[in-house]
Every structure is written in C-alpha cells, then in structure tokens.
Amino acid sequence: MTLSPARVPDTTGVRRLTATLYGYAFLDELVLLYPVYALLFADTGLSLWQISSLFALWSITGVLLEVPSGAWADAVSRRTLLWLAPLLTATGFTLWVTVPSYGAFALGFVLWGAGGALGSGALEALVYDELDRLGAADRYARVMGRARAAGLVAVMAAMGLAGPVFALGGYPAVGAASVLACLLAAATATRFPEHRVPRVSEDEGWTASLRAGLADARKDRSVRGALLLVPAVAAVWGALDEYTPLLIRDTGVADATVPHLLLLVWSVVTAGSLLAGAAERLGATGLAVLLAGAALALAAGAVLGTPAGIALVALAFGGFQVAEILADVRLQHRIDSTGRATLTSVASLGTELATVTVFGVYATLGTQASHGTVFAMLAVPYLVTAAVLAARGRPAVT
C-alpha cells in the first residue's frame, strides 16, 4: 500500500503531468498504418503464412522483453524509456515503407514490439509515482482512464484519416504520417516530470531490479492477487477484440456496415475509460458485479446474432475496460514505488501469455462453433473471476 497521507494536491504539477500524458497517449496511438499494414504486406507479395509469422514475431518480441524492460525502467530513468520507445517504432515504420520486404517487415515488428515493451510498465509507474509525489495518487484511475480514452480516440482518428491520406500518397504517405506521430510522441515524452531515485545502482543493472521486484511479490499475498487479477480481466476481451469484425459480419449486415458497428463498440469502450475514475470507489464485490454483468451482456449479445446484440457486446467491452483499469489501480496501490515498473510489466506479461492462450482456445472452438457461440463460451472465465472476487469481499482499494 503506497498511498500518501492526505495533503493538498499540487494542481499545477498535476495539470502538467496529465497534459503530457494525454498528449503522449494520443500521439502514441495515432498510427495511420494500423488499418492498412496488412494490405501493405499482401501487396508486397507476402503469403498468408508469412503475414501470420510476422504477427507471431511481434507477440514473441513483446513477451520476451516485457519483464526485462520493466526491470530496466526501475533501474534507470522511466522517462528515457518513454521517449526511446516511439523512436524504435518510427524506425520500424520507416523500414516498412522505404524497403518493403519480408525482412524489413520482420525487423520493423521487432522494433515495434521492443518499443511497446519499453513503454509498458514504465508509463504506469511514472504516472503513479508522480501523482503520489504531488499528493494526487487517488486520481490515478481517473487520469489513466482519460489517457486510455485519448489513445482510443487516436485509433479511431487514424482509421478515419488513413483512407484520405492513402488516396493522396499511398503507403509512403501513410507511413510518413505514422512516423511523424511517433516522433511527436517521443518529443512529448521528454516533458514528463520524473522525481525518483532508481532502486539499484547502474552497476547492479536491471537484473538486480528484477530480482528485488519479484521478491516483493513473493512475500506479499495481496500483491500476488493483484498481479493475477490484471490478466484475468484483460486477456479474454483483449483477444475477442480481434474477432469482433467477424462476429459483426455474422449478424448479416453488409460489409460496409461493419466499420460503423465497430465504431460503436469502441465509442462505448472509450466511454468506459472515462468512467473509470467514478468507478474506483467500487469494492471487490462491486467489481465482481461489474464483471458478471459485462460477462452476461457479452454472452447474450453474441448469441443474439443481431446488430442489437452487438450493442450489448459493446456494453460488455465497456465494462471490461473499466474493470481492466480498476485492476491496474489495485496493483499500483499495492506495490512499492521502487519496483513499480517491474511488477507492472510482470502483470502485462501475464496478460500477453493469457491472450495468446485465448487465441488458441478460440481457434479450437471456432472449428466447431459459430463466432457468437465462442464469444458466449469465453464469457465464462469472467463469471469465475467475479465469483472469486465476491467470495473475498475485500475493498478494491485499501
């Protein structure tokens, strides 16, 4: 438990921190290549197997680097990692559009995965510790909810802008816009305040930070529970997101209508991000009710197989987004400042591994059942998580 004693928040410092965070979150997701990079790969002549291998390489890079990068963030400057991350991504995007080939795409995904790993854990740790220093740690849920909303707005903006920009200049123009967004994100990251002393000296390195962070988790049961809750909440719906277009198409709507219903889904998810601050007062029982309600909405909406059912799926995703932010809040309140990035990255690693598992389960179930049925079946883990939380009946923040 690291909440500071009640004191008057430094509003000027909070405004500077949050303005930088929201700008960084927006620019980091304003990637116009998002909607078209699969088309770029196909137009370059890559086979479906090659494209799938690129996605796998991207995931593997994140899995391998997630925890070491978090430990590195605790050992050195978190701000440094946050401006370095988008520069790696920008380099990858530049390779894609200047020398399009399987090798360039593979290296680009490695760089993108490395950039994502550097930012994961470091961002949450920096924001929480700075808010704590400013006497505003109780605002963490609201602040991170708004940051995620900013990122989602950027994703939707990128989807809207990609078409016109592509029409004007093709892949080079879309790639240049994506690189520019990354460079602006890196510049914005340099404005993050950072007032902390690394937990270990540079001579000891990131491995000492990693060992110390994991030792904190081993000796504190509440930390272990918070670490497990993050992937339990985030993994399933994070994987289902990739199959949502297929679920929508199975409702019988025209292909041209699919993007509109996807926009509905992500609008509700964005609203969920904005509601996270108000939802922070929920205890374990309240979080359990939220998860159970979202799971039932997911199952009912998926089984209906109609556009109205997609609205229920949107509500479910919005609920899961709130729950995911609250799970992060529980974790941040329970871990020590010096190992914050390390343990946040451990939670992210758990999410990545669980998500890959869900992909495998979905592929297996999907060979015998419809998308709607698989969505409904994968609501069950949330009911189990809700039951565990309800049985514990502990406050979400103590």
Side-chain angles (χ1 to χ4, degrees):
M1 195 37 210
T2 59
L3 284 174
S4 297
R7 61 183 188 272
V8 177
D10 179 352
T11 55
T12 300
V14 172
R15 282 198 297 269
R16 178 193 171 190
L17 172 65
T18 55
T20 303
L21 172 64
Y22 300 154
Y24 182 81
F26 181 86
L27 291 167
D28 194 48
E29 295 291 346
L30 190 63
V31 178
L32 273 64
L33 277 167
Y34 275 151
V36 300
Y37 62 67
L39 302 179
L40 170 62
F41 302 157
D43 289 347
T44 305
L46 269 61
S47 67
L48 181 59
W49 182 90
Q50 288 176 309
I51 294 174
S52 298
S53 70
L54 291 175
F55 294 153
L57 180 62
W58 190 16
S59 297
I60 291 170
T61 300
V63 167
L64 293 177
L65 297 181
E66 184 68 55
V67 175
S69 67
W72 190 25
D74 281 332
V76 295
S77 166
R78 294 163 181 168
R79 179 174 55 199
T80 297
L81 269 61
L82 291 176
W83 65 253
L84 178 61
L87 294 183
L88 294 179
T89 305
T91 302
F93 290 162
T94 300
L95 288 172
W96 284 7
V97 295
T98 56
V99 285
S101 63
Y102 181 83
F105 296 148
L107 180 55
F109 267 126
V110 169
L111 291 169
W112 194 358
L118 288 181
S120 175
L123 180 65
E124 293 87 349
L126 184 148
V127 171
Y128 190 94
D129 282 346
E130 288 301 313
L131 285 173
D132 193 28
R133 184 185 65 85
L134 296 167
D138 59 339
R139 302 185 188 182
Y140 178 78
R142 185 188 320 151
V143 168
M144 291 307 294
R146 291 175 178 176
R148 295 196 186 194
L152 291 170
V153 169
V155 170
M156 292 186 285
M159 291 179 178
L161 291 171
V165 173
F166 184 83
L168 287 173
Y171 294 118
V174 173
S178 300
V179 170
L180 177 60
C182 291
L183 296 178
L184 291 174
T188 302
T190 63
R191 294 181 53 81
F192 274 117
E194 185 175 24
H195 303 80
R196 61 181 289 272
V197 177
R199 72 179 301 161
V200 295
S201 69
E202 292 186 8
D203 291 337
E204 292 177 282
W206 65 267
T207 55
S209 180
L210 175 59
R211 289 193 299 271
L214 294 178
D216 290 342
R218 284 195 298 269
K219 68 185 181 183
D220 192 330
R221 181 179 178 182
S222 69
V223 172
R224 293 197 301 273
L227 282 171
L228 292 173
L229 181 62
V230 173
V233 171
V236 175
W237 87 275
L240 291 180
D241 161 46
E242 302 296 333
Y243 300 98
T244 304
L246 301 176
L247 177 70
I248 293 174
R249 188 167 63 181
D250 276 2
T251 65
V253 300
D255 285 352
T257 306
V258 172
H260 300 302
L261 290 176
L262 280 174
L263 184 60
L264 168 66
V265 172
W266 287 105
S267 295
V268 177
V269 172
T270 302
S273 297
L274 296 174
L275 291 172
E280 188 179 6
R281 64 177 62 93
L282 293 175
T285 301
L287 182 56
V289 171
L290 174 64
L291 282 174
L296 294 175
L298 175 65
V303 170
L304 277 177
T306 65
I310 299 303
L312 285 175
V313 172
L315 286 174
F317 278 17
F320 294 142
Q321 174 77 332
V322 174
E324 183 176 336
I325 294 171
L326 295 182
D328 176 48
V329 172
R330 288 169 64 94
L331 177 62
Q332 300 304 330
H333 283 331
R334 284 163 171 75
I335 56 182
D336 184 72
S337 171
T338 54
R340 191 174 304 283
T342 299
L343 292 181
T344 303
S345 290
V346 169
S348 296
L349 174 61
T351 299
E352 291 284 347
L353 294 174
T355 300
V356 171
T357 301
V358 175
F359 284 143
V361 171
Y362 196 106
T364 302
L365 295 175
T367 60
Q368 304 293 329
S370 67
H371 292 290
T373 300
V374 178
F375 266 65
M377 294 173 70
L378 288 174
V380 173
Y382 285 113
L383 295 175
V384 174
T385 301
V388 172
L389 283 171
R392 290 183 176 182
R394 294 177 180 173
V397 179
T398 58

